[in-house]
Amino acid sequence: MSVEGKKRVVTTRSLYEMKQRGEKISMLTVYDYTMAHIMDTAGVDIMLVGDSAANIMAGHETTLPITLDQMIYHAQSVVRAVKNPLVLVDMPFGTYQGNSKEAVHSAIRLMKESEADAVKLEGGIEVIESVRRILSAGIPVMGHLGLTPQSILKFGTYSVRAKEEEEATRLLEDAHLLEEAGCFGIVLEKIPALLGKQVASELKIPIIGIGAGKDVDGQVLVSHDMLGLNQEFSPRFLRRYHNLFDEMQKAFRHYVKDVKSGDFPNEKEQY
Ligand code: KIV
């Protein structure tokens, strides 16, 4: 953000410095104003407006259907609430894989219309021209390797990636390529912990893991999963910090009961 006094505290530079001094980086997904406001007060370092909004907010089976306009809407809602964390926005499927000109156009729209701080996109060598072109426009880019949900139909499964040496070597090469291109960080999703550790120790930029073990520079989770709002998803890497599904269901049931019985509203709750 350019307006003096409204600058966010966490920047790509401060994230780099956190890695240098060994301070772990916390990142969570968020898609709306209210949740972003709560998260902002809790000291999260990076808020990711993830394309997982396609699953979490819209109920799609994959992240593929979400559009650039929809991502901009979610990012705008988050940015309005956020003071401290860096706001990172996923570039949705189909907006950067085709050609690098289209990629920079999509990234510029995201940044201009949402006032977010950075974009994230999935892939290594196959999207490197897009990464370079976006960076050359002055837009910070975070990479995403390992299990890349936008390619789920090609993988055919959500199982752990890069278990075999060949894929692990390719991932390592891609990580170096992204760093050399100028990415400020990389998300590693669902890969063996030893490989996560190797990438984090070979690269200078922060490596944020989701199912990539403890020896990376930071962690990211989907907020609805860690809050226990989504009960169907239970991968080994997920730690649930609450059971909000049950809590919310209890509150909704209580409300229905009170309305049906005539208990709500009472005399103090009317004009
Ligand atoms: O969209 C998303 O939620 C993500 C995380 C899984 C890192 O990209």
Side-chain angles (χ1 to χ4, degrees):
M1 296 189 97
S2 58
V3 184
E4 202 52 51
K6 283 190 86 183
K7 285 197 184 86
R8 283 191 271 278
V9 173
V10 181
T11 61
T12 54
R13 179 78 214 165
S14 64
L15 292 169
Y16 182 81
E17 288 164 358
M18 284 168 83
K19 170 156 181 160
Q20 303 314 302
R21 60 174 185 269
E23 180 182 342
K24 296 276 189 184
I25 296 165
S26 61
M27 171 161 144
L28 282 171
T29 64
V30 63
Y31 320 103
D32 69 279
Y33 176 87
T34 304
M35 188 91 94
H37 174 61
I38 299 170
M39 229 178 251
D40 189 50
T41 65
V44 172
D45 297 308
I46 306 177
M47 286 194 192
L48 169 64
V49 183
D51 61 353
S52 50
N55 315 114
I56 304 289
M57 305 304 285
H60 291 293
E61 251 181 62
T62 71
T63 56
L64 275 65
I66 200 159
T67 65
L68 190 59
D69 284 335
Q70 287 165 337
M71 287 304 295
I72 289 169
Y73 168 79
H74 288 297
Q76 287 170 334
S77 310
V78 168
V79 165
R80 275 183 216 116
V82 172
K83 293 191 179 71
N84 292 318
L86 180 132
V87 180
L88 174 65
V89 187
D90 263 337
M91 295 189 64
F93 175 69
T95 63
Y96 61 93
Q97 292 95 340
N99 65 63
S100 59
K101 208 166 156 192
E102 193 187 345
V104 76
H105 178 71
S106 311
I108 287 173
R109 268 204 68 202
L110 263 180
M111 297 295 283
K112 239 185 187 337
E113 295 179 38
S114 74
E115 296 188 75
D117 300 308
V119 299
K120 173 165 85 60
L121 50 84
E122 298 180 6
I125 192 160
E126 67 279 16
V127 292
I128 203 68
E129 282 315 311
S130 294
V131 169
R132 290 201 181 108
R133 196 127 180 196
I134 296 168
L135 283 162
S136 71
I139 299 170
V141 178
M142 181 174 265
H144 184 153
L145 299 170
L147 178 66
T148 46
Q150 291 178 13
S151 307
I152 195 59
L153 299 176
K154 185 176 82 180
F155 296 147
T157 160
Y158 283 96
S159 56
V160 180
R161 304 300 310 175
K163 284 206 289 198
E164 306 303 330
E165 201 179 325
E166 198 188 325
E167 196 182 338
T169 305
R170 229 179 310 128
L171 187 146
L172 203 55
E173 284 168 3
D174 278 343
H176 280 283
L177 202 59
L178 290 170
E179 178 171 75
E180 282 154 22
C183 285
F184 75 93
I186 300 174
V187 165
L188 292 182
E189 182 163 352
K190 221 168 176 187
I191 61 162
L194 272 179
L195 181 59
K197 182 178 179 177
Q198 187 180 358
V199 177
S201 67
E202 286 189 17
L203 269 62
K204 291 196 177 67
I205 57 173
I207 304 301
I208 313 293
I210 173 163
K214 66 181 182 57
D215 293 314
V216 288
D217 307 304
Q219 299 292 330
V220 55
L221 285 175
V222 170
S223 49
H224 288 61
D225 296 339
M226 59 83 80
L227 289 170
L229 276 164
N230 174 9
Q231 295 200 318
E232 289 137 35
F233 186 65
S234 292
R236 189 205 290 207
F237 67 73
L238 175 62
R239 184 178 292 183
R240 283 216 173 82
Y241 286 83
H242 217 300
N243 189 347
L244 274 194
F245 183 97
D246 285 355
E247 293 291 316
M248 289 176 72
Q249 189 189 52
K250 220 185 289 170
F252 294 144
R253 278 195 176 133
H254 198 159
Y255 168 76
V256 171
K257 186 171 147 274
D258 287 355
V259 170
K260 301 268 181 205
S261 68
D263 182 74
F264 174 78
N266 62 26
E267 278 183 12
K268 286 189 201 146
E269 291 162 332
Q270 64 189 12
Y271 300 99

